[in-house]
Amino acid sequence: MKAFINSVGLQAPGLEGWQDSAAILRGERPYQFQPLSPYSPAFLPANERRRTTDTIRLGLRSAQDTLGAYLGEMPASIPTLFACVDGDTEISAKMTAAILADEPMVSPIHFHNSVHNAPAGYWMIGQKNRAPSSSISVGEYQLANSFVEAITQLSEGWEALLLVMYDLPIDPIIETYQPDMHAFGVGFLLSLNQNEHTLAELNLQVNQQACPSPSPCKWFGANQSAQVLPLLKGLARGEAGEQICALSPALSLRLHWTPIA
Amino acid sequence: MSWPLDRLPPISDLVPHQYAMCFWQQILRLNENEILCQTQHHLMPSHPLKHNEHLSVTALIEYGAQAVAVHGGACAWLNAGAATTRPGYLAAVRGVTFYDFDARTPYLQGLAQLISADESCKNYQFKLFDAQQQCVCDGRVMVVHPGE
């Protein structure tokens, strides 16, 4: 299984914007935690923009950073794959709290935003995009399955696909499950054919060996989407490399990348 | 060109599916790009996918996927002359359409056609027909082979 990476987006504290983060990923500048700057999805109509949550905005800003150089040139009609492990936990927390109130009253906007593909929906509205879109959640197998799913969708004959992986820390009201992590959002514009924008070739190989659970990432803790950092560092440095990630309890996926000058 | 079916072992030697989970009983036609299989297995009272004696149409996807597996296994056998089937995982099922299906139809036929392939993955189109040659289900599957 093979695809080409044509563009990358990155939105995380201290790594805001792929272009601006390259020097840090190359190790030329030290990483420093800095909260993400405020963001407003200007491409959305005012009504929709007002209804966005932190999770939706992280997905949108990651998608926007990925397509940044392409917006206007890239047909808006490419399919999208949004991958988020925990979904919008702020909305889940608000809705569960509302249900437990003496007079249960769930906000229609929260209800509307509570579906897992809400961020994808706002992206499609804002981009006037009616191409197929999937929103997945695969826990600790997120990274491997996101790339496999992206390539299986591309194999349906699409020219390109936008993959966005993003997660925020869990809402503090959910006390029983609080992995230590920071926000992280990343995006890739993938295609099955090389073009003049191609940054790297990505090869995927399924292996019949289990892969140990990844250790938390130094900068972003247990955020599953941050497991992609070895690939991002390789792309920033223009160096070939590989990483192995868990695809299922019994299988692993080898991601191998080769930069294309 | 059709391939010599008489050189093939029983289907259960070509696929990992065994016993009652091995759905196809006969290969009617085979070449490197497609396979046509037939079976009466769906009539089996103890069918492993039957629930309350009822076979759901969604089980037809498994028939399609197994036709793909039989094609892979039979091609590997005829190319190498031995059981050298590579394991394959179902990575995607897309574009599935269900049509009228009467699970009492005397036999089912399954056609799997190779759309594209590289070293590690294959895309197939599958079509299933009842005994009246009416299409009961079609769709596409992607199979991924693990590395050595």
Side-chain angles (χ1 to χ4, degrees), chain B residues 17-142:
Chain B
H17 316 80
Q18 296 296 303
Y19 307 108
M21 269 312 288
C22 182
F23 287 5
W24 294 106
Q25 294 167 330
Q26 201 185 347
I27 300 174
L28 301 179
R29 193 168 85 221
L30 173 71
N31 63 38
E32 59 184 323
N33 292 317
E34 66 174 44
I35 191 168
L36 182 66
C37 308
Q38 184 167 302
T39 195
Q40 297 186 305
H41 173 279
H42 61 291
L43 301 172
M44 214 170 97
S46 61
H47 193 295
L49 299 188
K50 277 188 183 170
H51 183 64
N52 293 336
E53 298 172 19
H54 173 72
L55 186 68
S56 160
V57 286
T58 56
L60 293 173
I61 294 173
E62 178 65 18
Y63 280 84
Q66 287 203 22
V68 167
V70 178
H71 184 253
C75 288
W77 180 281
L78 290 173
N79 283 326
T84 53
T85 311
R86 297 167 70 193
Y89 294 96
L90 195 55
V93 177
R94 294 191 195 282
V96 174
T97 308
F98 298 108
Y99 306 92
D100 285 343
F101 173 56
D102 182 344
R104 296 164 300 180
T105 189
Y107 60 85
L108 276 175
Q109 289 188 350
L111 177 70
Q113 296 170 306
L114 191 61
I115 302 169
S116 64
D118 65 25
E119 324 79 72
S120 65
C121 76
K122 297 194 183 89
N123 282 293
Y124 278 89
Q125 160 93 41
F126 72 85
K127 285 181 185 155
L128 304 171
F129 302 94
D130 63 16
Q132 277 75 49
Q133 292 298 305
Q134 296 297 308
C135 186
V136 292
C137 176
D138 57 24
R140 296 180 299 279
V141 298
M142 181 193 257

Side-chain angles (χ1 to χ4, degrees), chain A residues 1-2 134 148-149 151-153 155-156 203-209 251, chain B residues 87 89 91-92 94-95 118-121 123 140 142 144-148:
Chain A
M1 273 190 290
K2 186 170 90 170
S134 297
V148 168
E149 179 67 13
I151 291 185
T152 68
Q153 289 203 18
S155 304
E156 292 289 287
N203 274 285
L204 275 59
Q205 187 184 55
V206 175
N207 288 320
Q208 289 177 302
Q209 282 109 35
L251 299 174
Chain B
Y89 294 96
R94 294 191 195 282
D118 65 25
E119 324 79 72
S120 65
C121 76
N123 282 293
R140 296 180 299 279
M142 181 193 257
V144 174
H145 297 293
E148 304 304 329

